[in-house]
Amino acid sequence: MSGYLAGILALFSINLLLAYAVFLPAAAGMLNLGAAGFMAIGAYVSAYLDVEYGLPLPLCLLAGTAASTVMGCLIAFPILRTRGVYMVLATLAFGEIVAGLLINMEAVGGAAGYPVTSFIDMPAIAALAACGVLLVVYILSTRFGLAMRSIHDDEQATALFGIHVRRVKVLAFTIGAGFAGLAGALYGHHYNYIEVANFNLMLSTYTLLYVLIGGTQTAFGPLVGAAIFSLLPEVLRGSEQWRFVIFAVLIIAVMALRPEGVVTRHGLARLFGRKREAG
Amino acid sequence: MADLLTLDGVSKSFGGLKVIQDFSLSVAPGSRIGLIGPNGAGKTTVFNLITGVYPVTAGRILMGGEDITRLPDWRRARHGMARSFQNIRLMPHLSAVENIMLGQHLRARRWWDQMAPLGLMPRNRWKRDAVAALEAAGLARYADALVYNLPYGVQKRLELVRAAVAGARLLMLDEPAAGLNPTEREELLAHIEGLTSGGTALLVVEHEMGFVRRLCERVVVLNFGQKIAEGRPEEVQRDPQVLEAYLGTGAATGAAADAA
Amino acid sequence: MILLQQIINGLMLGGLYALVAVSFTFVIGMLNFLNFSIPGIFMLGGMLSWALMVQYALPWYAAVPLALLAGILASLLVERFTYRYMRTRFGDATEHAIPLVSSIGFLILFQGLVQIRWGADLHNFPSPWENTSLRIGGLLISVPQVISLALALTLVFGLTVLLRSTSLGRSLRAVAESPDTAQLLGIDLPRLIPAVFVVAGLLSALAGVLFALNYLQVSPVMGDEISSFAMAAMVVGGLGSVWGAIAGGLLLGLLEVLTIFFLGAKVIKPVVWGALFLLILLRPQGLFGKPSVGRGKF
């Protein structure tokens, strides 16, 4: 495989993992505008353990993922008490706080950035991303996933069937944070260099947007969203600046014409409906 | 006999407006009670207070002898109550069978039931169970359809099935017959009778007396948030206060009984 | 004396935050809609007045009104494709996150288009006055900053008068209570709601022009940072409260300048965002807000 293609695949895999970080809360009706914050935690923890203590790479990745998961769980409880606009602003603030703190941490290079020692290549990243897809497919197929999707539609009615809505939301948010942490850790080890600017509000925003373009009803929505986001710059090579405009028009159009996203359950059912009837 | 559900002097105000005043009610296990009254009398509010959609302002609610007044909604459901809604609240982006499976939650709380990848196992026992419930209601052919595409009458029945599969001790139906034509209404009656034949208690909100008369052994009449009558349907129907509530002051008594 | 100078600087900066915060809070208070296109309209105000003056050689008294007009038109465009579209299609717009998401799309769109036309760099904004600072007893006071603060206060005062005593204002307040009820009362929503966006567009674009006059620099991303501070100011003041946004803006300007003065520029972001985070969790209604606002379903 050519290096060019491998590069795109690695980026796509990382974007995909980050997409699921936003997708899991979104599938349960929550908007997370702080995904980059969790990604940064995973990236910096993994990189720090690698650089300072020379821990084996799998252990670093695990620690990075665990750190962002724990952080997700800790802030999920207070954040999920808020709703609507407040929640959007609280997650946004969280991402900015993480970035603001990291830039002041000289131990990890501060504003100058942080070189990462161990390298992880595309096949491993792609394999982990594939595991991520399978995990999300599994989660959505359980009763827990059913509860998530019910909460998305009607939180109050879901609770009246005996479902502990808060617990489901905290879990969805926490698992999502873990996905972001893994994405961040992989990012650091693949590019061997991280800086705070890699994990800014723009990344959180774009991730939320491409997840919503893909659709939050099925595990395949983020796949499509991440693919569009990762491939658009390649398709538009040479007209760099237009890609923002095209992306913007795309999000406005999708929200207006197909607010459930490109991939919907209804669409999938229509696509595969004939097969099901035959079988 | 110990009561299944007891409301003891329950009141509710919204910003000074008294919606329910000093309302008491007891539901015996396996009994069928109708809660009737004109529009805006507070019937749905009573349902919301029982299920914990909002807290009471005063009074106590007991379920199976336990005080549930301060419990959050999801914990109350776990005491064995399930309900339907006046304005349909199915999950529009879930399929019919998934909505029914949501209703099974009270019976599927062990961790392996929660963790099993039901969506990847086409013939798991929960899904079979849900499809059987749909079949019993004559809705099997809608099983895989997304709910928001389905006609109103079907959605109304789906809500009933969803509440029924919870296996609750108390089934609460909020205007199950609203918007149905006479044929559908007959089917619905038979369906509800079938559902409660196993000893499930039933609390039905209706403002149409004929339906309640045939289904319930006892009715409670609510007007302006207060209980104005209680008793067997045919007794309550002759109660002058009830007639006045339904038809206004000075209504002819004979005509009233028929109209109601 | 130095501290006093810092306080003055803080209040002046706060005046800008306040103006943008009022735009945010006004749309949220009326329509329960967090309009992320406001930083873009702010930027259009600054960038277009620069472009019209420098690239098209228009005098400032022509360039600035044209830029403001463009801001208003952009705001109406956002209204057309976010709020109104959702309302006509789903019967209500605020229960969905969709207008919020589309408004982010418009922010990216405006920034992208400006970047394609005029590049991503900073541009020097021509100062219409020779010397823009006044010296009063050792204190340096920038005239554009005084003007922006005064203008912000005047406009917001005008806005409250408009809301209190005109029939347009009464209709708007009815909409803020409940769009559905307002419609039942015979209020013509499709004609009224654009008024909210005209006000928001005007205020944001004006803030952009004032920012350009103050700092003499414009760029396609000039709205980003100031808008995050303005959003923080809005939360401090309480969502939907216009005077709260003013107070929040001034407070935040002070906080920023004093934090930089005492702790250095690098800690400003964690301090402001940390304060905002705690405020949302502990006192979401802010200092003056109505607790019911901003709690949409999503």
Side-chain angles (χ1 to χ4, degrees), chain B residues 137-212:
Chain B
L139 300 171
R141 66 197 175 100
Y142 302 111
D144 288 316
L146 293 187
V147 160
Y148 69 90
N149 291 323
L150 296 176
Y152 175 85
V154 174
Q155 293 200 18
K156 200 84 193 158
R157 290 291 289 280
L158 271 177
E159 262 223 321
L160 173 64
V161 177
R162 181 175 69 172
V165 296
R169 296 185 283 173
L170 174 65
L171 187 59
M172 301 167 63
L173 305 178
D174 197 345
E175 301 206 11
L180 300 186
N181 63 38
T183 330
E184 290 172 322
R185 213 170 267 221
E186 286 305 314
E187 287 172 16
L188 180 74
L189 262 174
H191 189 184
I192 296 177
E193 278 173 354
L195 292 174
T196 50
S197 58
T200 308
L202 186 68
L203 187 58
V204 188
V205 158
E206 260 302 331
H207 62 216
E208 208 261 353
M209 195 76 137
F211 187 82
V212 176

Side-chain angles (χ1 to χ4, degrees), chain A residues 42 45-47 49-50 54-67 118-121 124 128 181-182 185-186 189:
Chain A
V45 167
S46 182
L49 293 176
D50 174 33
L55 291 189
L57 189 58
L59 220 55
C60 295
L61 295 178
L62 199 65
T65 310
S118 302
F119 176 69
I120 185 163
D121 207 359
L128 282 170
L182 179 62
L186 292 172
H189 291 292

Side-chain angles (χ1 to χ4, degrees), chain C:
Chain C
M1 201 50 130
I2 295 177
L3 189 63
L4 194 61
Q5 178 73 57
Q6 294 301 327
I7 289 174
I8 288 174
N9 292 351
L11 289 176
M12 298 299 171
L13 181 66
L16 276 177
Y17 291 159
L19 211 49
V20 182
V22 167
S23 311
F24 274 114
T25 217
F26 186 59
V27 183
I28 284 195
M30 291 297 155
L31 308 174
N32 202 4
F33 166 30
L34 178 56
N35 183 355
F36 270 106
S37 72
I38 284 173
I41 293 165
F42 174 92
M43 178 274 299
L44 284 179
M47 276 300 285
L48 289 180
S49 24
W50 165 81
L52 291 170
M53 277 196 280
V54 174
Q55 308 256 305
Y56 300 99
L58 288 181
W60 68 268
Y61 50 82
V64 170
L66 279 175
L68 295 182
L69 187 66
I72 291 171
L73 291 178
S75 190
L76 285 173
L77 191 72
V78 173
E79 189 266 346
R80 179 66 188 81
F81 284 99
T82 60
Y83 193 86
R84 190 189 313 184
Y85 196 88
M86 293 314 300
R87 218 186 139 74
T88 46
R89 190 163 164 168
F90 295 98
D92 103 78
T94 54
E95 289 287 293
H96 300 267
I98 297 163
L100 186 154
V101 173
S102 306
S103 73
I104 301 179
F106 273 102
L107 170 61
I108 298 171
L109 181 66
F110 294 150
Q111 290 183 341
L113 287 175
V114 167
Q115 206 163 321
I116 287 169
R117 183 72 182 78
W118 291 297
D121 308 324
L122 277 172
H123 301 283
N124 289 320
F125 194 83
S127 173
W129 300 286
E130 287 283 310
N131 184 358
T132 59
S133 293
L134 279 178
R135 208 166 261 289
I136 301 172
L139 290 176
L140 201 63
I141 295 172
S142 142
V143 176
Q145 284 186 333
V146 175
I147 295 175
S148 45
L149 191 60
L151 206 61
L153 291 173
T154 317
L155 273 175
V156 172
F157 185 71
L159 194 63
T160 28
V161 170
L162 179 120
L163 285 180
R164 289 233 176 93
S165 48
T166 65
S167 76
L168 176 69
R170 276 191 294 276
S171 312
L172 278 173
R173 281 187 296 150
V175 174
E177 288 298 320
S178 158
D180 291 330
T181 316
Q183 194 150 36
L184 286 179
L185 292 174
I187 291 171
D188 189 358
L189 283 181
R191 293 182 64 176
L192 189 68
I193 286 171
V196 176
F197 284 81
V198 168
V199 172
L202 177 64
L203 291 179
S204 320
L206 184 65
V209 175
L210 293 173
F211 178 91
L213 281 173
N214 278 321
Y215 296 95
L216 301 179
Q217 273 182 334
V218 291
S219 84
V221 292
M222 63 191 267
D224 290 9
E225 188 150 338
I226 192 166
S227 295
S228 26
F229 281 95
M231 277 193 269
M234 165 182 75
V235 175
V236 170
L239 266 58
S241 157
V242 167
W243 286 107
I246 293 276
L250 296 178
L251 211 64
L252 228 80
L254 269 181
L255 179 70
E256 178 177 353
V257 168
L258 293 179
T259 309
I260 292 175
F261 183 65
F262 287 112
L263 301 171
K266 272 169 81 181
V267 297
I268 181 68
K269 270 184 123 186
V271 166
V272 168
W273 286 109
L276 174 65
F277 189 71
L278 290 178
L279 194 69
I280 291 175
L281 300 185
L282 302 177
R283 197 180 155 77
Q285 69 272 41
L287 302 178
F288 316 95
K290 297 171 273 184
S292 60
V293 171
R295 304 201 164 185
K297 185 186 142 203
F298 56 87

